[in-house]
Amino acid sequence: MAKKQRKAADPAARVLTACEDAGVELVRFLYVDHGGVVRGKATSRARLAERLQTGIGLVTGMQAMSMLDELAPVAGLGPVGEVRLVPDPGSFVVLPYAPGAAAMMADMVRLDGQPWEACPRAFLRRAIAELAAEGYALLAAFEPEFTLGRRVPGDGPDEPDRLAPVDQSLCFSTSGFGAAHDYALELVRALQAQGLVVEQYYPELGHGQQELSVRHAPALRAADNMVWYRETARGVAWGQGLWASLAPKPIPDQAG
């Protein structure tokens, strides 16, 4: 009985069981690079038990990749050399907007098993530990906003696609609620299914601008929550034929 209880309490075992129960076939190991881009690799469920231990290889140069996918000249971060993306089972979520897929946040680990110096999660863990040594614990929350619209072709063959906002409503107006109603409901349900506590939602100042806040959490969980928030806002939008942009000012003549 004691052996069964230990197995049931093991985070890795819970992940494997959850994937089987939910029919998950691909599990994404995600990280956030120094440019704020969410990147990652995925493993099949058939190899998940192994990958929970070994992680997935990642070339070190990815932490010098810009938002334009250009490799910046940073010493030690190039096309040669590898770290491992080792997932955190405690961060596991089934992705409501991507049936058959799940995800975990990954720590970047050197080949000797030690945290890699260029890993943002390792940096945050050290900061949390240093704060704890002073007798403090950090809770964090964010005020995430994004613009919801449709992707339309640029004005010319060399022009990038544009974001046409989903509405032209006034700030906090009910017309804004109405224009994004179906999207907002699906987004709330998807976030709640991943364990995020939704607090408020309303149409913000800019055309198509949405604000939806989630409850504060301990620092590492709060950072992970923002990744799930960003991924979910975009994933739900794609599923509805929309485009959710988290850029600071995607429409030049509108509020940022």
Side-chain angles (χ1 to χ4, degrees), residues 19 22-28 43 45 94-103:
C19 285
V24 168
E25 297 298 339
L26 285 174
V27 182
R28 304 171 187 177
T43 183
R45 189 175 73 183
V94 175
L95 302 178
Y97 53 86

Side-chain angles (χ1 to χ4, degrees), residues 40-244:
K41 293 186 175 183
T43 183
S44 67
R45 189 175 73 183
R47 300 294 300 277
L48 179 58
E50 173 190 347
R51 297 298 188 186
L52 283 166
Q53 303 299 321
T54 66
I56 298 177
L58 181 75
V59 65
T60 59
M62 288 305 298
Q63 279 299 69
M65 192 71 76
S66 75
M67 296 179 70
L68 300 178
D69 264 2
E70 296 176 351
L71 189 62
V74 180
L77 300 181
V80 178
E82 181 184 282
V83 292
R84 307 295 293 183
L85 291 175
V86 179
D88 177 356
S91 69
F92 175 83
V93 293
V94 175
L95 302 178
Y97 53 86
M104 287 177 277
M105 293 304 301
D107 294 304
M108 297 176 172
V109 178
R110 297 193 315 229
L111 300 185
D112 62 5
Q114 295 301 307
W116 188 38
E117 294 82 352
C119 173
R121 273 185 121 238
F123 181 89
L124 180 55
R125 287 184 195 277
R126 290 195 302 271
I128 292 169
E130 290 174 6
L131 197 61
E134 299 294 329
Y136 297 96
L138 177 64
L139 299 179
F142 303 91
E143 187 184 357
E145 300 176 8
F146 60 94
T147 301
L148 182 67
R150 292 176 174 81
R151 197 167 192 140
V152 297
D155 295 328
D158 298 324
E159 293 295 320
D161 290 352
R162 294 182 292 105
L163 176 62
V166 73
D167 63 51
Q168 295 183 344
S169 68
L170 303 177
C171 186
F172 307 158
S173 71
T174 55
S175 60
F177 279 107
H181 175 74
D182 291 344
Y183 173 83
L185 279 185
E186 186 177 350
L187 176 59
V188 167
R189 290 166 180 161
L191 291 172
Q192 291 176 160
Q194 296 170 87
L196 281 70
V197 179
V198 175
E199 294 215 311
Q200 298 183 53
Y201 163 73
Y202 41 85
E204 252 287 0
L205 177 58
H207 292 171
Q209 194 171 5
Q210 313 291 307
E211 179 166 336
L212 186 150
S213 59
V214 298
R215 189 161 181 80
H216 62 77
L220 185 63
R221 176 58 195 263
D224 290 348
N225 281 350
M226 274 307 300
V227 176
W228 303 141
Y229 182 104
R230 292 170 60 184
E231 291 295 285
T232 305
R234 288 189 287 242
V236 171
W238 292 328
Q240 295 190 11
L242 299 170
W243 184 14

Side-chain angles (χ1 to χ4, degrees), residues 31-45:
Y31 68 96
V32 181
D33 71 10
H34 294 313
V37 178
V38 182
R39 302 182 188 265
K41 293 186 175 183
T43 183
S44 67
R45 189 175 73 183

